[in-house]
Amino acid sequence: MAQIQQFDTDVAIVGAGAAGIAAGIEARQAGARTIAFEQAADAGGAAIISGGGCLIVGSPLQKRHGIDDTPDLAFNDWIAWGGPSTDEVWARYYIEHTLHDLYHWAERLGVTWPDLKAQEGNSVLRWTRADHNGFGLMTRLIDGYRGADGQIVTETEITGLRREGGRVVGLEGRHVRTGAPLVARAKAVVVATGGFNSNLAMVLEHKPELNGHRILEGSGRGSTGTGHQFVRAAGGYLTHMDHIWFYPYATPDYRDPAQRRGLVFRLVPGNVWINQQGRRFHNEALSGGNSGSPALMAQNPPHAWAIMDTPMTATMEIADPYYRDRDKVVRAKVIELLDNSPFIRKAHMLAELAAKMAVDDAAFQSTIARYNAACAQGLATEPEFGKPLKSSKAFDTPPYYAVQIFPLARKNFGGVKTDLQCRVLDKHFEPIEGLFAAGEIAGMAGGHINGRAGLEGTMLGPSLFSGRVAGGWAAHVAGHGGGFIGKANRP
């Protein structure tokens, strides 16, 4: 039998993604010993392959662009978008801390914020991108954590919490490859295992109305809900678990033997979506989970084809490590996908493409002809769905591609209920001693900070911020520091 690995620390962190690393940085700054246990071979989680955007209010970048933003304005946008199930207390708490405790805090760790982007639901530009996207952001945070002597133990699956007298005192698990058992003793535990959208059975358990539909798994490969399971076993309360955010611009990963995983693709300007009847059905510029996904799911059958010609694919990015070399796109692998996926059709004539898609040829060619005419006339928007044409061009350069797209489960807006100290709460909303949760396992923060729909930037941003909060208070429970106090004012 393999020898048991034994660890002893002040704060044990489950997951080395955005929330886990942020928790580790905060706990180390408070003087606590920390170990982050990561199931994958490398740290970074889903955040390292993300767009790296955070919702930040009142930043110097906004001011340089002449944008007058306030917490009240951002809060009103947030509540209007997320609806009545939004945790208003947590939303306000995050918004009021974005400037000092996210923007400037990350800057001190070497992160730069080069630009802003318009996103659905925001009345002003406030989606703020980190340099080199999620890769650049997480690389600097991981370097900062390790530079502060924070420890990361990879290829480790945590399977349960250890409790004594009702208090959480550590973890147990195993090495992913060898199966060697592991025991870790800690004064506080922060669970930051992400969501459950790479566990299709769990997605359908909480969204049974989608049974019979093709839904793609689309979160980090380790986001399978194991953290939810052992937190619930320890008495933690799970809330709003049906609040799942779907992306519409994803195609099955043909390299996945089960073809359950999806590949999110971005930066294909001017592509249009065609349903199985050969017609457009939506303004493709509105591609978020609160607009594009419901439109896609309303089709019969609930999938579509993203149509593009060769120049449109020149900037195409695939949100998967296989298609990247660190922060750079490997163009040859993108072409490999376009040329080899059975879910992508390629043709030199539109009629040939329609046949390969098995859509109505007349409807399809008429749809493309109207779109091309709008582009040729130099219209600001095309008349059928109001799509802005600033980044569009006519479909005129073969070969043409049709990428089959399906709804992809990407983010969880429900999860473990926590208070403003990120303490895990039981069904009576009483804290479980020694146990904290942050990031997507906690619905980004609190259990349901976004409600049913999230403004872009309200996923990664709250994950980082709630990680900071959890790490600070976990360090306090472990006997170090005064807990998270905000304003990033520690020396």
Side-chain angles (χ1 to χ4, degrees):
M1 183 176 178
Q3 185 175 359
I4 297 177
Q5 295 178 283
Q6 297 193 15
F7 298 87
D8 188 276
T9 189
D10 294 322
V11 178
I13 302 164
V14 191
I21 292 298
I25 291 170
E26 192 74 10
R28 285 297 302 138
Q29 288 180 345
R33 296 173 300 147
T34 63
I35 302 175
F37 296 95
E38 170 57 46
Q39 183 172 323
D42 298 296
I48 206 165
I49 60 169
S50 73
C54 299
L55 184 144
I56 297 172
V57 180
S59 71
L61 187 58
Q62 283 182 310
K63 292 175 181 176
R64 287 200 295 272
H65 284 80
I67 297 168
D68 183 19
D69 198 8
T70 67
D72 283 344
L73 181 61
F75 180 76
N76 289 338
D77 288 349
W78 189 304
I79 300 305
W81 198 244
S85 60
T86 305
D87 186 328
E88 296 187 9
V89 175
W90 253 106
R92 173 68 75 173
Y93 187 42
Y94 168 71
I95 289 167
E96 292 179 351
H97 284 80
T98 56
L99 176 59
H100 292 284
D101 295 303
L102 184 52
Y103 187 94
H104 291 314
W105 169 78
E107 282 186 325
R108 283 192 289 275
L109 290 161
V111 175
T112 57
W113 306 95
D115 56 42
L116 299 162
K117 181 180 177 184
Q119 294 283 8
E120 294 176 50
N122 284 299
S123 58
V124 300
L125 297 179
R126 60 172 71 98
W127 186 90
T128 310
R129 183 181 66 85
D131 192 28
H132 296 293
N133 305 323
F135 178 85
L137 174 68
M138 288 306 302
T139 297
R140 286 165 178 80
L141 297 189
I142 292 166
D143 287 347
Y145 173 64
R146 283 185 163 136
D149 295 325
Q151 186 178 354
I152 302 176
V153 178
T154 59
E155 297 186 293
T156 300
E157 179 186 10
I158 300 304
T159 56
L161 301 169
R162 297 174 68 86
R163 304 181 72 186
E164 291 178 4
R167 177 189 177 90
V168 172
V169 295
L171 306 164
E172 55 189 37
R174 64 179 186 86
H175 191 276
V176 170
R177 286 185 293 105
T178 67
L182 170 150
V183 172
R185 187 164 187 87
K187 297 173 184 174
V189 171
V190 178
V191 182
T193 49
F196 57 81
N197 286 324
S198 288
N199 181 342
L200 187 56
M202 197 166 173
V203 170
L204 295 176
E205 174 190 349
H206 297 289
K207 298 288 288 186
E209 66 272 22
L210 297 179
N211 275 294
H213 293 229
R214 182 162 196 168
I215 304 296
L216 302 178
E217 297 175 342
S219 190
R221 292 185 181 274
S223 298
T224 58
T226 55
H228 296 74
Q229 293 164 15
F230 62 68
V231 167
R232 180 166 53 189
Y237 182 67
L238 305 184
T239 184
H240 297 80
M241 293 287 280
D242 64 327
H243 287 18
I244 299 174
W245 193 244
F246 294 88
Y247 279 3
Y249 42 94
T251 191
D253 182 357
Y254 78 104
R255 299 175 64 251
D256 172 22
Q259 293 179 346
R260 292 161 63 97
R261 287 195 63 79
L263 297 173
V264 170
F265 60 90
R266 301 185 176 97
L267 299 182
V268 187
N271 78 98
V272 298
W273 298 349
I274 300 293
N275 62 21
Q276 203 56 48
Q277 288 71 49
R279 299 179 175 86
R280 288 179 64 225
F281 55 89
H282 183 64
N283 173 358
E284 297 88 356
L286 301 177
S287 60
N290 209 28
S291 53
S293 297
L296 178 63
M297 290 179 175
Q299 301 312 300
N300 183 22
H303 74 253
W305 301 88
I307 310 301
M308 52 196 79
D309 70 359
T310 293
M312 295 177 189
T313 67
T315 55
M316 187 176 191
E317 294 188 5
I318 310 298
D320 184 274
Y322 177 77
Y323 297 89
R324 305 188 72 88
D325 180 9
R326 297 172 68 83
D327 63 331
K328 293 182 173 56
V329 176
V330 180
R331 188 59 50 196
K333 290 186 176 180
V334 175
I335 294 171
E336 172 191 291
L337 172 70
L338 290 170
D339 287 346
N340 292 285
S341 171
F343 302 97
I344 298 176
R345 310 289 192 264
K346 178 181 178 181
H348 286 270
M349 298 181 64
L350 290 173
E352 180 189 4
L353 191 66
K356 289 186 175 182
M357 295 156 58
V359 303
D360 183 271
D361 177 56
F364 174 60
Q365 294 215 52
S366 176
T367 295
I368 297 300
R370 291 193 301 274
Y371 190 85
N372 282 353
C375 291
Q377 294 169 37
L379 300 180
T381 60
E382 52 81 24
E384 289 188 73
F385 296 97
K387 177 183 177 180
L389 294 176
K390 181 179 179 181
S391 300
S392 294
K393 63 177 285 296
F395 291 86
D396 57 12
T397 309
Y400 303 105
Y401 296 91
V403 180
Q404 195 170 24
I405 58 176
F406 296 88
L408 175 138
R410 185 66 167 186
K411 295 166 183 173
N412 295 116
F413 287 165
V416 177
K417 183 67 178 174
T418 64
D419 63 12
L420 288 180
Q421 295 179 13
C422 289
R423 297 180 297 181
V424 172
L425 304 180
D426 65 17
K427 64 183 179 180
H428 302 294
F429 285 15
E430 294 291 333
I432 297 173
E433 195 172 359
L435 184 60
F436 300 79
E440 194 170 354
I441 188 175
M444 314 304 170
H448 53 113
I449 187 173
N450 283 288
R452 284 196 173 273
L455 297 169
E456 292 294 334
T458 62
M459 299 84 163
L460 179 56
S463 291
L464 290 164
F465 175 68
S466 64
R468 286 201 65 195
V469 175
W473 285 106
H476 173 66
V477 166
H480 301 269
F484 180 80
I485 57 176
K487 294 278 186 181
N489 57 358
R490 294 179 176 83

